[in-house]
Amino acid sequence: MATSTAAVIIGFYLLPFLLDVANINAGKAGLVLLISKLWDAVTDPMMGRISDNTRTRWGRRRPYLLFGAIPFGVAYFFLWQVPHLSETGLFIYYLGMLCLLNTMFTVVGVPYVSMMPEITEDYHQRTILTGFKTSFQLLATLLAGIAHGVIIGAIDDQKKAYMVSAAIHGTFITIPPLIVFTFTREKPQEEGKGRLSYWQGVRIALKNKPFVVICFIYLFDWMAITFIQSNFYLYVQYNLRAKDQFAALITVVQAFTLGCIPLWAILSKKHGKKKVFILGIGVLVFIVLSLFFITDWHPYIMFPVAAAAGFGVSAGYLLPWSMVPDCIDADELETGERREGVFYGLFVFLQKFGLSVALAMAGFSLDSAGFENPKMNPDTGKRESQEQPDSAIIALRILIGIVPAVLLAISIVFATFYPITRMRQRATIWRLKRLRQSKGQSDTSTTPTEEKDIMYNDENDTMLALEDLRVDYFA
C-alpha cells in the first residue's frame, strides 16, 4: 500500500505539479524524470541481489522494510515542496529528490514484492494471492487519489496544498512496511553453494524466455497506463475544461479497477493468465482510443468510459505480477537457487522506467507543442493557468489516446508468446520437489491434492506424464 500510494499520486499529479505549481518548463520537467531513471537502472536490480544474499535473524527481506520505511516517507514529503530557487536550482532540487525517493522506493518495494513467491508454489493460488495484494494496492490508490484531490481542491494556495498532502501521505506510507515487518515471517533459506554473482544472476534471468516475454508485456502495458495517468489531469483540465470533475473520474476508474480484480482471478483460473490478459487489455485499447475523439465534457460519456477503463486496467495490474513467480520457479529448476530479488528488482525497475519514460516523453511532447506554463497575475499576485494553444490540446489527446493504444497493442502481441501454462507450471513444481528431495532439503510448501498424481490432461485433452512435459524455457 505504501508504494502504491506514492506511485498513484506521482503518476497522476507529478507532471501537473512540476508544470503548474513549481512552474518548471515542460522540457526540463521531462528531463528530470528521464535522468532519474539512469540511477534506477543500477539500484533496482542491485537491491534485488542484495536482499537475495542478506542473512539476518529477521530474514532476507524484512529488515529493509523496517529500516527503509521512515526515509521513504521523508523523501516523499520533500519531493512536493517548492523551495525559493532559480529555475536551474529547481531542476537540480527535483532531480535530487526524485532520485532519493526512487532509491527508497527500491529499498522498500523490491524486498516486499520478492516475498510473494515464497508463500505458495501453486499456479492459481499465486493469482489469488496477487489478487489480494493488488486489491489492497488499488484500495490505497483509490483512497490516496481521492484524498489528494480533496486536499488540493480545498486549499487555494497550491504550494501549501501539496505540502499538506505530502505531509499526510508521507506519514501514511511509513506505516504499511512496518506492519508487514511486524506480522510476517520468512521461510528459512538453505545456504547456497557456489552462489552466482550479481551480473551472472541478471544474465541468467534475461535468458529465461518467459521472464523476458513478461518484461516486454509489462513494460508496454505499464507505459500505456502511465501515459493515461500522467496526462489525464491536464486532459480533463484543458481539453474537457472540467477540472472540477477530475477527482470523480479517477474515483470511478480506481473503484472499477479494484472491483474487477476478483473477476480476472476467476477467469484466469478457468481460461489461463495469457488469454485473460489479452481480453482485458484488448478492451482497454478501444477505450483509450475513444479518448482521442472526445473534445468536450459529457458526463454520460466520460463516466462510462472511466468505468470501462478500470475494467481493462485491472487486468494490466494483476496478471503480469502473477506470472513472475512462475518464471522464478523455472529459474530455480535451471540454476538451483531462489533469486526472487533479482527478478523483482528487474521488474520494479521496469515499472519505474515505464513511469518515468512516459512522464518524460509527455513533458518533451507538450513543450514541443507549445504548452503554456501558468503566468503571474499582477492583480492577485498568484500564478494562473493559461489557455492552451490548439497544438497543445491535440498533443494531450494523442498522449492519452493514440500513444497508449499503440503500446497496449504491442503488449498484446508479446503476450501471445508467453509459454507457461497451468500444465507446464505443475510440471515445474513437481520436478522442483523431486530435486529438493534428492538434495535432502526440506520442502515445507503445500501441494494441492490434484498435483500428487503423475498424469494430467493438457490443454489438448491428452494425457501427459509430468516428467515428459517440456519445461525448458532457457535460451
Side-chain angles (χ1 to χ4, degrees), residues 34 80 128 183 223 228 306 403:
L34 189 60
W80 301 97
I128 294 171
F183 293 102
M223 283 183 65
I228 300 168
V403 174

Side-chain angles (χ1 to χ4, degrees), residues 82-95:
V82 185
H84 297 288
L85 300 172
S86 65
E87 187 170 7
T88 300
L90 288 174
F91 173 84
I92 296 172
Y93 175 82
Y94 289 116
L95 177 59

Side-chain angles (χ1 to χ4, degrees), residues 235 239 286 288-296 397 401-402:
Y235 173 86
N239 180 62
F286 290 100
V288 298
L289 273 176
S290 70
L291 294 175
F292 176 79
F293 299 99
I294 300 174
T295 57
D296 294 299
R397 289 165 55 197
I402 303 297

